[in-house]
Amino acid sequence: MGHTAWLGALAGTMAVATVNLRAVTSWVGIARLFAIVLSCIAFSLVASTRAFGGPYGTWCMFTWCFCFAVTLLVVLLELLELYPKLPLSWDDFTSAFSMLATLMVFTTSVVFPSTFINSPCSGSKCARQAVATTVSCLCFLAYAVEVGLTRAKPGDISSFLSTVPGLLKVFEAYVACLIFALLDTFSSEAGLQWCVAVYSICFIVTLLIIIFTIGRCLSYIPCPLEKMLVVYNTLALVMYITATILWPLYSFRGRSRPESCGRDCWWNKHLGVTFLTVFNLIAYLVDLVYSTKMVFIRAPP
């Protein structure tokens, strides 16, 4: 009797822990496997040089390790078909993460060589850093391919974060985080304070939309998501237009670039905020166009 019960429990466990080979044999699975291998190689090469100190090096190592760990977890959960047990929208989560990983690895692939590789490049240390940069660029391509493969077809809104407006939400939130990283010093002028308020308000609302979508909480919103997005994107666009004008006006008015202006110079950081503000302005404009199409232009059945 005990032997029969043990066999029944074993059979039940095997039935639960089924293996879905499509998680590693589909095009999306192959792209994820490439991302896992490439991110592992990148942080291993940089770790072997022991030269990744400071905030920029810490960011690069965190990006590679974070993307490696989460992508490996995603593959394992899909391979063992355990993701349906999670209390979240899996398609929205994976779409948002792949877009976030694409942006993070792209940023790292630009920041790392510009910070740690000196010219002329010689020696084994520099060679490993150069190879790590190349591998990081390939990792970015792997995540970008995953975003392209999982992006929803026009008219399909079953997984919001896999649509163009959903992917733009991740982009907008990430760019806002980059802006915050550059806002270490700014004057107390009202114009600059308004710009910081714009960045903060839009970031919080955008992040809440992403969290509510992944957490399947959109049903608690009293109005349809598509119509709410049109209203929010319109307001965000207007607010970013004011920030695009006011930030450079108040940041550079009567102030020239210092002669000795290094990487951490306030002038360079404020210039970076200016360009990032323009990027988010364009993102909210495109987001508004697509959100409006989702509401007023329905795809034919």
Side-chain angles (χ1 to χ4, degrees):
M1 185 68 178
H3 183 67
T4 304
W6 181 83
L7 288 177
L10 179 61
T13 303
M14 294 178 63
V16 172
T18 56
V19 176
N20 177 22
L21 293 180
R22 280 191 53 81
V24 292
T25 58
S26 64
W27 288 114
V28 174
I30 293 173
R32 288 171 178 166
L33 290 178
F34 270 105
I36 291 172
V37 173
L38 293 171
S39 58
C40 181
I41 294 174
F43 74 71
S44 299
L45 286 172
V46 174
S48 67
T49 65
R50 300 178 182 271
F52 51 89
Y56 296 105
T58 303
W59 162 257
C60 294
M61 288 295 286
F62 168 77
T63 296
W64 292 319
C65 294
F66 171 75
C67 293
F68 166 80
V70 178
T71 307
L72 180 61
L73 180 63
V74 168
V75 170
L76 290 176
L77 289 175
E78 290 202 350
L79 184 65
L80 300 177
E81 292 191 339
L82 297 175
Y83 65 91
K85 302 180 183 298
L86 300 176
L88 51 81
S89 174
W90 183 252
D91 290 338
D92 285 310
F93 170 75
T94 53
S95 297
F97 168 72
S98 60
M99 183 63 179
L100 176 63
T102 301
L103 297 170
M104 291 178 66
V105 175
F106 173 77
T107 306
T108 299
S109 300
V110 175
V111 169
F112 180 77
S114 62
T115 305
F116 293 97
I117 298 181
N118 300 318
S119 181
C121 181
S122 60
S124 62
K125 173 183 173 182
C126 186
R128 281 177 284 176
Q129 291 174 330
V131 173
T133 302
T134 304
V135 170
S136 183
C137 293
L138 294 175
C139 186
F140 156 72
L141 292 177
Y143 281 117
V145 168
E146 181 184 349
V147 172
L149 291 172
T150 57
R151 187 172 70 86
K153 301 298 185 294
D156 181 13
I157 58 173
S158 58
S159 175
F160 170 70
L161 292 181
S162 64
T163 64
V164 173
L167 296 174
L168 285 172
K169 284 285 170 282
V170 180
F171 177 85
E172 293 154 4
Y174 181 75
V175 171
C177 289
L178 295 181
I179 291 176
F180 294 143
L182 298 176
L183 287 178
D184 55 349
T185 57
F186 61 93
S187 65
S188 58
E189 294 188 66
L192 296 181
Q193 290 182 347
W194 164 253
C195 293
V196 175
V198 169
Y199 304 142
S200 303
I201 293 171
C202 293
F203 169 74
I204 292 172
V205 176
T206 301
L207 184 62
L208 285 176
I209 292 174
I210 295 172
I211 294 174
F212 275 39
T213 303
I214 295 176
R216 297 174 178 172
C217 299
L218 294 177
S219 58
Y220 297 104
I221 299 177
C223 60
L225 175 64
E226 296 86 352
K227 295 182 180 179
M228 186 196 73
L229 287 176
V230 172
V231 175
Y232 165 64
N233 289 332
T234 303
L235 293 176
L237 179 64
V238 173
M239 293 171 69
Y240 259 91
I241 289 175
T242 63
T244 304
I245 298 172
L246 294 178
W247 178 264
L249 178 65
Y250 282 91
S251 293
F252 305 112
R253 184 177 56 182
R255 307 172 72 185
S256 58
R257 188 176 189 272
E259 293 183 1
S260 57
C261 191
R263 184 180 299 113
D264 295 325
C265 175
W266 67 266
W267 199 93
N268 288 341
K269 290 186 176 181
H270 285 204
L271 183 63
V273 172
T274 301
F275 279 105
L276 292 173
T277 303
V278 174
F279 292 159
N280 247 3
L281 172 66
I282 297 172
Y284 278 108
L285 176 60
V286 177
D287 198 351
L288 177 60
V289 172
Y290 272 92
S291 299
T292 305
K293 288 174 61 177
M294 289 173 60
V295 174
F296 299 104
I297 303 177
R298 296 293 182 180

